[in-house]
Amino acid sequence: VILPAYNEAASIGGLIKDIYKTLGENVEIVVVDDCSEDETIKTAESCGAKVVRNPYTMGNGAAVKRGIREAAGSIVVLMDADGQHQPREIPKLLAAMGSFDMVIGQRAFRAGIWWRRMANRAYNCLASYVTNVRIKDLTSGFRAMKRDKAVKFLYLLPNKFSYPTTLTLSFIKAAYPVKFVPITVLPRRGGKSKIN
């Protein structure tokens, strides 16, 4: 499980504990800290996660790329460190892997900021048109995928926030099967959003 983190001390400890509780103590949790200015690293290490620290703020996408490179497992799960994604839904993603190379957590777009909902709908429609595949949630950061497939596209991923879009489109255009599974997203556990 890869957790890109920037100033997420308020949520990271509880999240790591919940991941261990859900998946067991043998799961590898890689926290990639994007040069946080709070106690994110200390909290993550005290909870038993492997911590990789960027020497300066490189961006959410850069943290994801570093995490994928550092991970040892054949399947990696990406999720936000702010507590919006629920560890209890990881098994749902993993169970759906089967003959798929990537399973994406599909959020319900009923709540949240109106312009973000509208933008996500527009992105989904455009991406579905371009790929000729119905894309239900292009920008979800909560996903499970085969690591060997993901590594092939790391050079394409931007260092900021649009890595989910690029990963999804890359898998589909390379004919790696992708599946969407409905998930529930919670409000942030603390801190503030880095997306503007």
Side-chain angles (χ1 to χ4, degrees), residues 126-192:
L126 179 61
S128 296
Y129 173 76
V130 169
T131 62
N132 203 30
V133 172
R134 182 158 183 250
I135 295 178
K136 298 177 182 178
D137 193 349
L138 183 64
T139 61
S140 174
F142 190 31
R143 56 187 64 213
M145 61 193 161
K146 294 179 181 170
R147 184 184 171 277
D148 64 333
K149 305 289 193 308
V151 167
K152 295 177 182 182
F153 303 114
L154 292 185
Y155 76 100
L156 291 173
L157 304 185
N159 286 343
K160 299 298 179 184
F161 280 102
S162 60
Y163 78 84
T165 303
T166 307
L167 261 178
T168 303
L169 295 175
S170 297
F171 268 62
I172 290 170
K173 293 307 279 183
Y176 293 141
V178 174
K179 182 175 184 174
F180 294 88
V181 174
I183 59 164
T184 303
V185 178
L186 301 175
R188 292 177 61 87
R189 288 188 182 180
K192 64 177 192 166

Side-chain angles (χ1 to χ4, degrees), residues 13-59:
L15 181 61
I16 291 168
K17 289 174 186 172
D18 287 348
I19 293 168
Y20 282 130
K21 185 194 267 186
T22 301
L23 300 178
E25 293 295 320
N26 291 328
V27 68
E28 178 187 42
I29 300 174
V30 180
V31 174
V32 183
D33 180 75
D34 202 23
C35 205
S36 294
E37 298 166 348
D38 65 2
E39 299 292 314
T40 298
I41 292 174
K42 185 177 177 182
T43 304
E45 287 176 337
S46 71
C47 291
K50 174 182 179 179
V51 177
V52 177
R53 184 162 202 230
N54 288 342
Y56 54 88
T57 303
M58 299 170 76

